[in-house]
Amino acid sequence: MGAARETAGPVHAPSPDRLFDPEPSRRSAARELYAEVKDLPLVCPHGHVPPALLSDPDATLGTPADLFIIPDHYVYRMLYSRGVPMEGLGVPTRDGTPVETDHRRVWQRFCENFHLFRATPTGLWLRDELANVFGMTEKPSAGNARRLYDELEEKLSRPEFSPRALFRRFGVETLCTTDAAGDALEHHRSLREEGWGDTVRPTFRPDGVTDLAHPDWMDNIERLSETSGVGVTDYGSFARALEDRRAFFKEMGALATDHSALYPLVRRLPKNEAEEIFARALRGEATEEDAGSFTAHMLHEMARMSTEDGLVMQMHIGSFRDHDEDVHQRFGPDSGADIPVRADWTRGLGELLNDFGSNPRFRLVVFTLDEGAYARELAPLAGHYPAMLLGAPWWFYDSPLGMRRYLDAVIETAGLQNTAGFNDDTRAFASIPSRHDVWRRVTCDWLAEKLITGVIDEEDAGEMAHDFAYGLARRAYNLEGEPVRSTR
Amino acid sequence: MGAARETAGPVHAPSPDRLFDPEPSRRSAARELYAEVKDLPLVCPHGHVPPALLSDPDATLGTPADLFIIPDHYVYRMLYSRGVPMEGLGVPTRDGTPVETDHRRVWQRFCENFHLFRATPTGLWLRDELANVFGMTEKPSAGNARRLYDELEEKLSRPEFSPRALFRRFGVETLCTTDAAGDALEHHRSLREEGWGDTVRPTFRPDGVTDLAHPDWMDNIERLSETSGVGVTDYGSFARALEDRRAFFKEMGALATDHSALYPLVRRLPKNEAEEIFARALRGEATEEDAGSFTAHMLHEMARMSTEDGLVMQMHIGSFRDHDEDVHQRFGPDSGADIPVRADWTRGLGELLNDFGSNPRFRLVVFTLDEGAYARELAPLAGHYPAMLLGAPWWFYDSPLGMRRYLDAVIETAGLQNTAGFNDDTRAFASIPSRHDVWRRVTCDWLAEKLITGVIDEEDAGEMAHDFAYGLARRAYNLEGEPVRSTR
Amino acid sequence: MGAARETAGPVHAPSPDRLFDPEPSRRSAARELYAEVKDLPLVCPHGHVPPALLSDPDATLGTPADLFIIPDHYVYRMLYSRGVPMEGLGVPTRDGTPVETDHRRVWQRFCENFHLFRATPTGLWLRDELANVFGMTEKPSAGNARRLYDELEEKLSRPEFSPRALFRRFGVETLCTTDAAGDALEHHRSLREEGWGDTVRPTFRPDGVTDLAHPDWMDNIERLSETSGVGVTDYGSFARALEDRRAFFKEMGALATDHSALYPLVRRLPKNEAEEIFARALRGEATEEDAGSFTAHMLHEMARMSTEDGLVMQMHIGSFRDHDEDVHQRFGPDSGADIPVRADWTRGLGELLNDFGSNPRFRLVVFTLDEGAYARELAPLAGHYPAMLLGAPWWFYDSPLGMRRYLDAVIETAGLQNTAGFNDDTRAFASIPSRHDVWRRVTCDWLAEKLITGVIDEEDAGEMAHDFAYGLARRAYNLEGEPVRSTR
């Protein structure tokens, strides 16, 4: 390695053929398929981008540490696991314990440990993002951290790196945010007023009021009362308030609801039981068992409401939240210690699918953290019930190998059309194109293999590539009005 | 795409190299291995072909819809999952609700939705079957459906497409059917009389009488009484009736028994407990718990009887039957909504394997729908107990990728000789050669990879390919009398 | 096959490119990476080599049957599964029932059945060992068994095939044995006196005294009392005795402790409860439930002690021991019928990781037999908690495909640095280099794929290959003092 190279840092440009198998006939097929889909608009039906980032025309992405490290638990949990304290990365504490405020130091620590992201999806996204969004192809290191920071800081201050400018540059066609049931959706309202209503849409996520064990449950109920105008005093008014909010979210452009639970368990309670549990909760007397039963019941209720208002129901199942109690206490939820557990979908969804799974007015998109259920339970279920689609590989599985295992396990049994395409599920706004690009590359490479081994023909491969990249997500979320560009 | 092509429909001929990895040295090795095994006779030790199809010399395969769609839940469940009602596909209802009787319309709906089978094993079998059995290489579509129907209808009326003619053309050496304990085996008797006795054999499947929760249990017991001539009035006479039937099945050529259960749980009951449960069942008072205990007990009894009469014991475990209660009620069992659940083989088979697993007079072949158990439990068990063999990848796993995962997970630990080869497990008679062909291609490709990466040598690869295609199934089911053709 | 070849037996030399994907660019990258690591010293932090083999300068490896068959349950369980009685393989019985004592006959049976090891890791190790350790490239068979025996017997009698000579030739840098808590470590003491103390080290494995259900528990407690000098009369003295022994093991060079359990369950008991259970055990009155609770408690205690003395804690979880009761009774434990079960790591390790998982004085290395937990639970846990590392693919997964599944499932989520490298975990001393070589080849091939598909660059690949082969194990077990040879 020559001195010149050392000064500049190793070249870190992403290969145009990355993630394509090297066997020449397969690589060539993958390239051709990819060429047809790489520039399709991005459909982002599920994610966690704060709507304020787009509703405020003066919003910026902040410092390089704000952009890449501080809000991204994918990044800081890896550094934490190798001994870098979260305080030293500027992750804000709940109790106000001071944390690193010098973002240059945060960035320095990140660059010093950049090798930890080798062969991880986060590593891929970071490299692609630096190269493709910021035009920077040097590999971060202790030596070049300061220089990279300066360059990023300068670029981030330019108007062409504002969230809105990037949004257009990324070619995002639809981006759905995730919003609490009691959210007033002010940012969404102002986005609609500016004509962004078809582009940025809210999603109704009522976990904070349906999970009786949520630490802020009482406050969330209060906010629900306020924003719905329905004073929640019992189960009946609670259900009415939810219906009211769903209608309002729909008015604000929502396409879907979203629900998180530890288990894929849906069980309708007799009305009086639901009423009693809710009354206990209002008195602060609900038990853990109550909370479990009520969550299972509310999933059934939400499905029922979906058959009425047509909002697509999304379920994200299987994360044991806040496994590390100390990290949770100091840094709050979503701080990098949510660990998956096994799931029993076959029996857990039995009642839901019997009641609504063949209802043409219902659509259910499920996401799992237990990939053992892909081929055994989820693909057979999605391969039978008309209402059910299998969502994209989620979280830890949103990675090249995670995607391959998903494709291998799911498509043969469920068929392509019983899946829901991709979503980026991210709060890291600038990483959105990289995430979609990984999916497009991996699906094209997977299809190339099927094509070269005679499982599918060219017509199949082209249409499937287009569906993976674009069509499936649009159809799953009822975005069918706009013209769909053909691949040929 | 030119006008001529559009008229004729896209060419849909299967590639001679399909399912072989494209890397040249591996593909070449796969081709050589495959050339040695592709024409070996078909051994079909487990399946659901109706024996009447072969015992009646005038039997036909019916219309194209009869052949490809109406009886095949692999096909119609996929169409159902995308919104095509089963009634519209001519699937007969239990209660006589009218269904589509115009088979041309059924066929049309199937062809319009042919894209749903892209990259699925059903799609592969359909294409191969059309091309190899019927010489038709056009891809079905809305546009050519009518023409394809005409052509198929004409061919199906010819004598060379009769079941018996196809049976000979397919090179089936042995085909075992699946028959209820109380079945009189009349078709098998007449097949034996015509000299087909070594070729088409029954299999003893007593689920209808060992599962106390079976909706037709009482009727099944009655039929068992009749055909056995042993009046079943208590547990003792029940056991004697089963022994009698086993002996009769064996006389009619049976090689094996077959047992289905939700869990791989085998537990012998004390004699008086079994007697009491059975008495309750006869009085119509058996509980769900009784049924579970009795199934677990009868699996032990069946194993014991196998050590006496030498019938190979097959267990198909893990399907939660009739998940969709409405479909079950309207269309009956085996209608496409059987969904797998997890299995605990290690503890569940403990008692069975301790009692009989090292008994040289016993052989057990197990099939799972929980592939998570392949490497963790089933391969280690089969890799220790002399009596136990691991059956072929079953149902949803009977697919190119399902087979690869099976080979990857099983062979390193269990070794090839502790597996039982392939079976097609199908009621779709004309798809039998395609199914075996997929297995032969995938195993040859898998062995080619092992050969090219120096894990095995040419002698190993050739003998293993022959065993996968032919030898393993013959040895597992004691079909060793006839000469085995050498691979070299 | 010519007559000359038949006489000599087929050539069985391992290919220099074995286990490398055949695609030329990938194979070439794999070769280059492998060239840099293949000769690195062997770090063996966990295994079952008897220390006497090295402490006694006159020790030999015995006969070919002693070396390859009789002590290796990987070998004899496969032969047993295909009907070769363990008595006929010379495996010693507990009750003195006579077994084959003619080692030539044992060897003959093994060679006759050598085909059973096709495509198994045992088959790979045996071939590599014969070729690389003994320079013998003929494939064992019925025909050449006698000749191979003669040649091996002659070689084994030479001084250059003594355990110490082979140890040097293999380039073992560190080898840790596994020793009972009450072991006096005499062999280790004499090895230290001879200057081998940094090379051969004990590991503290207290299962025999922490598992109250252990058949020899009372004897083990007695030996613990003796060697510790602390009379164990109650829970308090038990804990002191263990602390004493840990200190002694550390003095004798131990780097780690090791713990086996059926479940990954750690739960601290209130002190009085632990005392009561232990008192019951001393009176011979402990229940199965007591044993379960106590094991879970002692895992917590061992972790606590590790935070004090710095011994790395290893957990080997998920083996249902002695599944075949008859084999267990006749041949004793570790006789080839230990079968894995599922594990729930997320909840099971909750208390342990909350108490110690972020403690910089603690390090935990876990090994699983349930690979379904790799991506779902273990990689996310190791990817958060600083103290936790994921150990190498264990037992049935110590195989080319088992390793690939491990790498695919773990690295993307946990990152390389949260894994602990390789260990051979073997009692088959002469197979150690072959086992490490398989790991080095598979990891280099895996990295080559990542390199060729643009996931990592050359710098990453080179450093990762070195870490897989050498660096990770050294760092995991605090062997950092000595110079680490650079790969470039």
Side-chain angles (χ1 to χ4, degrees), chain B residues 346-347 385 412 453 459-460, chain C residues 19 139 263 323 325 340 399:
Chain B
T346 299
R347 273 167 290 215
Y385 287 101
E412 286 189 332
T453 59
E459 181 193 45
D460 294 340
Chain C
L19 301 173
K139 191 172 174 175
Y263 300 111
H323 191 273
E325 290 161 25
S399 66

Side-chain angles (χ1 to χ4, degrees), chain A residues 152-172:
Chain A
L152 278 169
E153 192 175 46
E154 188 275 325
K155 288 188 171 153
L156 284 165
S157 70
R158 296 192 210 159
E160 65 261 40
F161 288 91
S162 77
R164 287 193 170 191
L166 288 176
F167 191 92
R168 288 189 205 96
R169 182 171 142 201
F170 293 168
V172 179

Side-chain angles (χ1 to χ4, degrees), chain A residues 212 217 233-235 272-286 294:
Chain A
L212 306 180
W217 185 75
T233 56
D234 55 13
Y235 177 71
N272 67 322
E273 224 174 287
E275 287 168 353
E276 283 160 23
I277 288 176
F278 195 81
R280 278 201 289 281
L282 282 177
R283 294 195 306 268
E285 292 167 8
F294 197 74

Side-chain angles (χ1 to χ4, degrees), chain A residues 1 10-12 14-15 17-24 27 77-78 80-83 86 115-116 118-122 124 127 139 262-263 320 322-327 335-343 369-372 396-397 399-405, chain C residues 23-26 342-347 349-351 353-354 357-358 370 372 375-389 405 407-418 446-447 449-450 452-457 459-461 463-464 467:
Chain A
M1 210 178 274
V11 171
H12 197 227
S15 150
D17 281 333
R18 64 193 178 283
L19 300 173
F20 297 157
D21 187 272
E23 195 283 319
R27 179 162 283 192
R77 64 98 179 154
M78 180 65 89
Y80 178 78
S81 79
R82 299 308 306 146
M86 278 157 64
H115 68 284
L116 296 178
R118 281 171 177 161
T120 70
T122 304
L124 277 184
R127 185 189 59 191
K139 190 172 176 174
L262 183 55
Y263 299 111
F320 185 102
D322 311 319
H323 191 271
D324 186 328
E325 289 161 25
D326 180 61
V327 164
S335 301
D338 298 336
I339 310 291
V341 294
R342 271 203 306 267
L369 292 173
D370 177 7
E371 62 184 353
F396 302 109
Y397 304 141
S399 66
L401 295 167
M403 289 172 185
R404 283 201 184 98
R405 292 197 299 274
Chain C
E23 195 284 319
S25 64
R26 179 164 166 190
R342 272 202 307 264
D344 175 353
W345 292 88
T346 298
R347 272 167 289 216
L349 291 194
E351 187 172 326
L353 291 171
N354 269 281
S358 304
D370 177 7
R376 185 182 59 223
E377 305 179 29
L378 290 166
L381 286 168
H384 170 77
Y385 287 101
M388 179 172 164
L389 301 179
R405 291 198 300 274
L407 297 169
D408 283 356
V410 165
I411 303 299
E412 286 189 332
T413 291
L416 180 75
Q417 299 299 328
N418 286 309
W446 189 85
L447 291 168
E449 198 263 349
K450 298 284 158 284
I452 293 300
T453 58
V455 171
I456 54 176
D457 64 19
E459 182 192 44
D460 294 341
E463 290 184 18
M464 291 174 86
D467 268 352

Side-chain angles (χ1 to χ4, degrees), chain A residues 199-218:
Chain A
T199 311
V200 182
R201 296 166 179 273
T203 299
F204 181 73
R205 171 117 164 198
D207 298 348
V209 293
T210 56
D211 175 7
L212 306 180
H214 193 289
D216 303 325
W217 185 75
M218 210 66 101

Side-chain angles (χ1 to χ4, degrees), chain B residues 23 342-343 346-347 354 358 375-376 383-386 408 412-414 417-418 452-454 457 459-460 463, chain C residues 18-19 22 27 77 80-82 118 121 127 139 263 323-325 336 339-340 342 369-370 399-401 405:
Chain B
E23 195 283 318
R342 272 202 306 266
T346 299
R347 273 167 290 215
N354 269 280
S358 305
R376 186 183 56 223
H384 170 77
Y385 287 101
D408 284 356
E412 286 189 332
T413 292
Q417 299 299 328
N418 286 309
I452 292 302
T453 59
D457 63 19
E459 181 193 45
D460 294 340
E463 290 185 18
Chain C
R18 63 192 179 282
L19 301 173
R27 180 163 282 192
R77 65 98 179 154
Y80 178 77
S81 78
R82 300 308 305 144
R118 282 173 176 160
R127 184 188 62 191
K139 191 172 174 175
Y263 300 111
H323 191 273
D324 186 329
E325 290 161 25
I339 311 291
R342 272 202 307 264
L369 292 174
D370 177 7
S399 66
L401 294 167
R405 291 198 300 274

Side-chain angles (χ1 to χ4, degrees), chain A residues 41-50 54 72-74 121-122 125 129 167 170-178 199 314 316 367 391-399 403 420-440 468-469 473 477:
Chain A
L42 304 185
V43 180
C44 311
H46 174 69
H48 299 271
V49 169
L54 296 163
D72 192 343
H73 60 71
Y74 286 65
T122 304
W125 300 327
E129 204 175 328
F167 191 92
F170 293 168
V172 179
E173 184 183 283
T174 300
L175 182 139
C176 299
T177 64
T178 300
T199 311
Q314 298 174 108
H316 284 87
F367 300 87
W394 177 35
W395 202 330
F396 302 109
Y397 304 141
D398 183 5
S399 66
M403 289 172 185
F422 183 69
N423 68 59
D424 49 75
D425 196 3
T426 189
R427 57 199 80 225
F429 174 65
S431 74
I432 288 177
S434 305
R435 290 167 188 251
H436 284 261
D437 187 62
V438 170
W439 172 255
R440 290 173 178 189
F468 272 130
Y477 292 90

Side-chain angles (χ1 to χ4, degrees), chain C residues 246-260:
Chain C
R246 291 175 66 113
F248 177 68
F249 270 68
K250 208 176 152 183
E251 212 177 290
M252 289 294 109
L255 303 168
T257 71
D258 184 35
H259 310 272
S260 169

